């Protein structure tokens, strides 16, 4: 028996051993990623509340999703945040990068370090810190508003202001990092283009519109996709600042998933939310890739 | 030959060591509350003196993480601890579905049930007459008030009815101090007052938050904020203690565990507080106390040592020494009634101006309205905050509409 195995090993060793070497990764990948992905897909077709027996429910969970006002609210909120990070945060980051890229700015190194600090700080720590920044009566931000004679804003308490507050926090965390991406892109643009255009009499707006933006397109694409995908996974900051309130104003899709799974113990429904999120993110990324012409052939 | 000798030696070592290893038992305990974990650690040390072979391994996780881990381990069918602490508002989810992952304690408790204040010790962890957990904290809510601020306004205290509370509050407000700071992002004050009329669920398990009494309490909170102007919106999180120390408001309603929180977060106010039972309505409705918060200890069905786990729980929760230790370490007032006659419980408290908290608590304890738990507790309380408390107190909807929205949501949740 042992002899048979060892002769088999001797004959096939060269073929088998590479697979053995890469096996640890694939085993872990299968157990911790593939299995949950498949299992939650199956679970999304079950009525799985609490422990005990699960009953097959077909598309019931997905049907419920379509008419669930809270899920709709969560999608709207998350889209609101995503819009904030695409149309407010990203342009701001680009402006920052343009400023950093100018020759006359001093202390560039300091700025670059400062931009990185929010990113490497734990999101939880940042969020806890910002509960004090946004606090209505004692907060930093309202103290600032009062000092210039404005009325304090109920940042986290009012349903209208809660999401803008979360977006502001997002700007504080991510604007700097995105600016660094843009900066790297800007520094890759050959100065000769600008010189040539300047000789042709282009003004600085035209330089930006016809040279910077087109050559920066890959970076813009990267930053925007990242912002959107990241936005749809938003969880930590609103969870700590508002727990989704007031009145669901900051309830995000992932938070709703979390509530359904771990607070309400509706595992089937939570799985369906997870898959709805996959569909949303995939669709948006596809639209974007098409919009930016990624699938067009380079030589066409 | 040499190899064979070594094998023999190892075999002997193994044979001698094995029985020792086999009888030494380690039980896993998961907890989330620092004050309780410290107490259980102390109890585990004492327990070891009686059961030298048993080690209780107290593991501490953050609140969310601990309950989620426990839930996941129960779903997975593997990896759960022997013993766990389950917070009162998280218990509901664990009794959802056809199966409960905890060991029923009814037979284990036996006659000791007569020595327990069951409204706080077992009711919150009971589902369909099975007791799954035991709580050592009698969380009778009392009204803590700043006697110095009331004295400034020429008053002796908040009063014994809500009507008086409001009248006194107006005098207090004229000195620039609000009586109450009401949280518009949570249900705690509504619950504390409204539990006298069933609170969230009636004894049948039906949602009762929108009954006449529940509406009356919501109206009371609204009136205090917007009609009589004797209350302010509570600052969120730690800023609450800032406002407390600044003397912006004079009253907090809380359970005994909250006394510990106040001592930690508003130490400078020592000697400025007193406590009294809650006011009731002038028509006699309401209750002088309520239960708020609390944690129960459960044994999971995955435990292979449920018998020893129970011995430990009993040792900590069903003995005078154990429960008084918790009182001493964390202000946790015992649910184990034999401890109520122990004079150590009746010490004076300097933070509360030399009052004896235990005196007042033991007087009102028999009047605590029952807490009826439900598998839908998490969803329903969550819906109540976002559909009733916040919009009503922020004046974005009126009470009738809010309660109608709430009822519609309840019908959607419980199918």
């Amino acid at each position: 028996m042992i002899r048979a195995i060892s002769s088999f090993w001797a004959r096939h060793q060269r073929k088998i051993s590479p697979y053995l070497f890469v096996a640890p990764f694939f085993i872990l990948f299968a157990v911790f990623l593939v299995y949950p992905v498949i299992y939650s897909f199956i679970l999304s077709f079950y009525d799985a509340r609490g422990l005990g027996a699960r009953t097959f429910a077909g598309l019931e969970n997905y049907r419920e999703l379509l008419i669930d006002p809270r899920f709709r609210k969560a999608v709207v909120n998350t889209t609101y945040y995503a819009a904030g990070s695409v149309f407010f945060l990203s342009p701001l980051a680009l402006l920052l990068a343009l400023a950093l890229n100018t020759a006359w700015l001093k202390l560039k190194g300091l700025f670059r370090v400062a931009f990185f600090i929010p990113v490497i700080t734990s999101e939880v720590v940042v969020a806890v810190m910002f509960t004090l920044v946004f606090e209505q009566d004692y907060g930093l931000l309202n103290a600032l508003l009062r000092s210039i004679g404005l009325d304090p804003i109920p940042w986290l308490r009012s349903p209208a202001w809660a999401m803008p507050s979360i977006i502001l926090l997002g700007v504080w965390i991510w604007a700097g990092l995105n600016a660094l991406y843009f900066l790297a892109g800007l520094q890759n643009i050959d100065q000769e283009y600008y010189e040539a255009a300047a000789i042709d009499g282009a003004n600085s707006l035209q330089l930006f519109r016809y040279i910077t933006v087109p050559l920066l397109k890959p970076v813009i694409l990267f930053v925007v996709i990242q912002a959107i995908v990241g936005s749809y996974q938003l969880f930590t900051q609103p969870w700590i600042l508002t727990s989704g309130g007031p009145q669901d104003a900051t309830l995000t899709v992932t938070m709703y998933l979390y509530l359904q799974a771990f607070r309400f113990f509706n595992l089937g429904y939570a799985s369906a939310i997870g898959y709805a999120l996959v569909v949303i993110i995939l669709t948006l990324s596809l639209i974007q890739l098409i919009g930016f012409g990624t699938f067009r052939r380079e030589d066409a | 030959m040499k190899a064979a000798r070594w094998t023999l030696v190892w075999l002997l070592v193994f044979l001698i060591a094995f029985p020792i290893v086999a009888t030494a038992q380690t039980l896993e305990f998961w907890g989330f509350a620092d004050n309780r974990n410290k107490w259980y650690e102390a109890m585990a040390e004492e327990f070891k003196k009686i059961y030298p072979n048993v080690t209780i391994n107290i593991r501490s996780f953050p609140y969310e993480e601990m309950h989620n881990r426990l839930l996941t381990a129960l779903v997975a069918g593997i990896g759960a601890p022997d013993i766990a602490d389950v917070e009162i508002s998280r218990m509901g989810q664990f009794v959802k579905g056809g199966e409960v992952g905890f060991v029923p304690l009814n037979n284990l408790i036996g006659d000791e049930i007569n020595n327990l204040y069951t409204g706080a010790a077992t009711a919150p962890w009971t589902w369909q007459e099975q007791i799954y957990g035991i709580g050592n904290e009698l969380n009778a809510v009392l009204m803590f008030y700043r006697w110095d601020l009331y004295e400034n306004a020429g008053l002796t205290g908040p009063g014994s009815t809500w009507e008086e509370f409001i009248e006194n509050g107006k005098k207090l407000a004229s000195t620039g101090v609000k009586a109450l700071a009401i949280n518009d992002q949570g249900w705690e004050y509504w619950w504390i007052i409204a539990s006298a009329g069933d609170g969230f669920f009636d004894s049948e398990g039906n949602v009762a938050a929108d009954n006449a009494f529940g509406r009356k309490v919501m109206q009371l909170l609204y009136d205090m904020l917007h009609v009589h102007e004797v209350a302010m919106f509570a600052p969120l999180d730690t800023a609450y203690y800032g406002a407390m120390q600044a003397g912006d408001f004079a009253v907090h309603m809380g359970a005994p565990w909250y006394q510990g929180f106040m001592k930690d977060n508003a130490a400078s106010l020592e000697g400025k507080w007193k406590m009294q039972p809650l006011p009731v309505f002038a028509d006699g409705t309401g209750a002088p106390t309520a239960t708020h918060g609390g944690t129960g200890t459960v044994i999971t069905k995955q435990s292979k040592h449920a018998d020893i786990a129970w011995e430990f729980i009993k040792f900590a929760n069903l003995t005078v020494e154990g429960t008084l230790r918790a009182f001493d370490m964390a202000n946790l007032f015992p649910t184990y009634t034999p401890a109520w006659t122990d004079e150590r419980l009746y010490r004076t408290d300097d933070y509360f101006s030399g009052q004896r908290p235990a005196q007042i608590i033991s007087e009102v304890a028999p009047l605590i309205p029952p807490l009826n738990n439900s598998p839908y507790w998490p969803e329903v309380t969550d819906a109540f905050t976002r559909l009733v408390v916040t919009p009503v107190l922020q004046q974005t909807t009126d009470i009738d509409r809010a309660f109608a929205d709430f009822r519609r949501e309840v019908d959607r949740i419980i199918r």
Side-chain angles (χ1 to χ4, degrees):
Chain A
M1 179 64 187
I2 290 167
R3 185 167 299 165
I5 292 170
S6 67
S7 81
F8 175 82
W9 177 243
R11 267 184 285 125
H12 298 282
Q13 188 184 8
R14 279 169 168 279
K15 271 191 211 157
I16 296 171
S17 47
Y19 292 103
L20 288 179
F21 278 115
V22 297
F25 168 77
F26 282 98
I27 291 169
L28 289 177
F29 181 74
V31 171
F32 290 107
L33 218 79
V34 179
Y35 175 75
V37 163
I38 295 170
Y39 189 70
S40 61
F41 186 66
I42 296 168
L43 206 54
S44 74
F45 297 103
Y46 278 83
D47 182 1
R49 299 181 194 208
L51 291 178
R54 282 160 192 179
T55 49
F56 184 74
L59 289 169
E60 183 55 31
N61 286 329
Y62 290 95
R63 199 189 65 83
E64 177 68 24
L65 264 188
L66 292 178
I67 55 165
D68 181 352
R70 280 196 98 184
F71 178 68
R72 211 175 307 142
K73 178 92 179 146
V75 172
V76 169
N77 289 341
T78 317
T79 310
Y80 183 177
Y81 183 83
S85 47
V86 171
F87 297 112
F88 181 59
L89 194 160
S90 301
L92 200 70
L94 182 57
L95 281 179
L96 270 178
L98 289 170
L100 279 178
N101 203 31
T102 50
W104 47 264
L105 190 79
K106 303 274 182 254
L107 296 173
K108 280 184 195 171
L110 180 77
F111 281 116
R112 285 175 207 178
V113 172
F115 285 158
F116 239 95
I117 288 174
V119 181
I120 56 170
T121 309
S122 147
E123 286 185 65
V124 176
V125 173
V126 169
V128 169
M129 210 168 79
F130 269 77
T131 55
L132 298 175
V133 173
F134 287 129
E135 218 291 318
Q136 192 172 351
D137 301 311
Y138 303 90
L140 276 177
L141 220 51
N142 278 348
L144 194 75
L145 290 180
R146 275 196 210 97
S147 73
I148 54 172
L150 294 173
D151 280 338
I153 291 173
W155 294 104
L156 299 173
R157 171 164 277 144
S158 125
W161 278 104
M163 193 44 103
S165 306
I166 306 285
I167 293 175
L168 271 183
L169 173 55
V171 168
W172 188 83
I173 298 177
W174 298 111
L177 181 72
N178 287 345
L180 291 184
Y181 290 138
F182 282 129
L183 188 62
L186 287 173
Q187 287 174 345
N188 269 335
I189 298 174
D190 201 326
Q191 285 303 313
E192 285 177 12
Y193 293 124
Y194 291 107
E195 284 162 18
I199 290 166
D200 289 342
N203 63 31
S204 55
L205 204 67
Q206 287 169 321
L207 291 181
F208 179 73
R209 167 75 185 79
Y210 295 106
I211 297 175
T212 310
V213 170
L215 289 174
L216 211 55
K217 208 162 79 176
V219 181
I220 296 175
L221 182 70
F222 171 75
V223 168
V224 167
I225 290 190
Q226 228 210 2
I228 290 181
V229 173
S231 297
Y232 277 89
Q233 293 167 353
L234 179 69
F235 179 83
T236 315
Q237 296 96 318
W239 178 254
I240 289 171
L241 285 175
T242 58
S243 305
Q247 289 177 270
D248 282 349
T250 55
L251 181 80
T252 65
V253 177
T254 45
M255 199 188 291
Y256 192 43
L257 187 160
Y258 177 83
L259 284 177
Q260 285 291 348
F262 290 104
R263 280 290 170 88
F264 309 156
F265 211 176
N266 296 332
L267 297 178
Y269 194 55
S271 302
I273 297 173
Y275 271 88
L277 185 62
V278 168
V279 171
I280 293 171
I281 293 180
L282 260 180
T283 316
L284 284 171
S285 305
L286 261 174
I287 291 173
Q288 230 160 28
L289 289 170
I290 293 167
F292 275 87
T294 312
F295 296 132
R296 258 179 271 151
R297 287 164 53 152
E298 283 297 313
D299 54 0
Chain B
M1 189 58 205
K2 206 175 180 187
R5 202 181 301 155
W6 272 112
T7 314
L8 194 71
V9 171
W10 279 119
L11 195 70
L12 277 173
V13 168
F14 185 70
L15 281 177
I16 296 164
F18 185 73
I20 299 170
V21 176
T23 50
Q25 280 156 341
T26 301
L27 269 67
E28 286 287 315
F29 171 97
W30 288 1
F32 63 90
D34 280 344
N35 56 353
R36 293 180 58 86
N37 292 345
K38 278 185 198 144
W39 167 59
Y40 266 132
E41 265 163 28
M43 294 318 291
E45 262 171 49
E46 296 292 322
F47 193 65
K48 207 163 175 63
K49 290 177 189 160
I50 310 169
Y51 294 87
N53 290 330
V54 179
T55 305
I56 313 280
N57 186 18
I58 311 281
R59 293 188 65 190
S60 172
F61 302 95
Y63 175 84
E64 285 284 327
E65 188 187 340
M66 194 240 106
H67 290 96
N68 294 349
R69 267 173 185 259
L70 184 60
L71 202 64
T72 314
L74 291 177
V75 173
I78 186 171
D82 297 278
I83 313 169
D85 260 359
V86 176
E87 203 261 337
I88 203 163
S89 60
R90 294 299 288 263
M91 185 59 193
Q93 64 192 123
F94 288 97
V95 297
K96 214 175 219 177
E99 218 180 290
V100 178
F102 306 138
V103 176
L105 305 176
N106 301 43
N107 292 333
L108 294 169
I109 296 172
D111 287 342
E112 282 280 32
I113 197 82
N114 302 320
N115 287 330
L116 280 172
Y117 185 79
T118 53
T122 54
W125 294 274
T126 300
W127 176 240
Q128 292 174 341
E129 284 161 32
Q130 298 290 324
I131 302 168
Y132 292 107
I134 192 157
N136 68 318
E137 310 174 21
L138 202 161
N139 287 317
V141 175
L142 292 173
M143 181 171 267
F144 313 133
Y145 65 95
R146 290 277 302 273
W147 62 266
D148 57 330
L149 298 179
Y150 274 100
E151 207 175 70
N152 262 350
L155 299 159
T156 52
S160 58
T161 64
W162 286 114
E163 288 77 1
E164 249 176 66
F165 182 87
I166 289 168
E167 284 316 307
N168 290 343
K170 287 178 186 165
K171 289 182 194 137
L172 193 66
S174 66
T175 65
V177 178
K178 297 287 186 190
L180 216 53
I182 300 175
N183 182 8
D184 58 341
Q185 318 280 328
W187 44 260
E188 55 272 17
Y189 276 180
W190 178 86
W191 158 259
I192 283 170
I193 308 171
S195 59
D198 277 341
F200 285 112
F201 297 92
D202 64 19
S203 55
E204 310 277 295
N206 299 313
V207 174
D210 52 353
N211 65 19
F213 194 69
R215 285 164 193 259
K216 183 172 167 178
V217 173
M218 203 59 229
Q219 188 72 52
L220 174 74
L221 295 177
Y222 177 90
D223 290 349
M224 286 204 273
L225 264 171
H226 300 295
V227 179
H228 309 301
E229 295 178 348
V230 298
M232 59 186 267
F233 283 117
L236 303 177
D237 300 306
T238 45
Y240 185 78
Y241 294 106
M244 185 186 270
Q245 299 196 76
D248 290 349
F249 60 90
V251 168
H252 180 92
M253 294 186 279
W257 54 263
Y258 197 82
Q259 297 171 15
F261 281 36
M262 286 163 78
K263 290 170 187 174
D264 289 345
N265 294 293
S268 66
L269 299 180
E270 181 174 289
K272 294 180 175 170
W273 293 98
K274 281 185 181 172
M275 56 176 86
Q276 64 160 51
L278 300 182
V280 292
F281 288 97
D283 63 10
T285 54
T289 186
T291 186
H292 183 223
T295 297
T297 307
V298 302
I299 304 173
T300 70
K301 280 186 179 159
Q302 288 177 28
S303 173
K304 293 191 177 66
H305 312 290
D307 49 339
I308 304 172
W310 171 248
E311 285 304 316
F312 177 64
I313 292 177
K314 201 165 82 173
F315 180 73
N317 292 278
L318 298 177
T319 58
V320 174
E321 286 310 311
T323 50
L324 284 183
R325 191 79 178 258
F327 176 72
D328 213 38
M329 292 177 75
N331 260 326
L332 305 180
F333 195 90
T335 53
Y336 188 62
T337 51
W340 289 13
T341 52
D342 197 293
E343 59 183 23
R344 282 172 289 174
L345 201 59
Y346 295 91
R347 61 174 189 209
T348 59
D349 191 330
D350 290 340
Y351 193 83
F352 289 94
S353 314
Q355 281 182 310
R356 293 179 201 276
Q359 190 73 47
I360 306 170
I361 293 170
S362 55
E363 274 163 26
V364 296
L367 303 168
I368 297 181
L371 181 145
N372 304 310
N373 216 331
S374 156
Y376 293 101
W377 177 278
E379 289 101 312
V380 169
T381 53
D382 166 78
F384 191 75
T385 300
R386 68 190 152 84
L387 296 173
V388 181
V389 177
T390 306
V392 167
L393 296 185
Q394 291 195 357
Q395 295 181 292
T396 51
T397 185
D398 62 77
I399 290 188
D400 286 336
R401 254 231 334 263
F403 275 106
D405 291 344
F406 170 70
R407 179 48 68 176
R408 208 171 309 121
E409 183 76 351
V410 165
D411 290 339
R412 216 175 59 80
I413 293 167
I414 303 175
R415 281 172 294 147

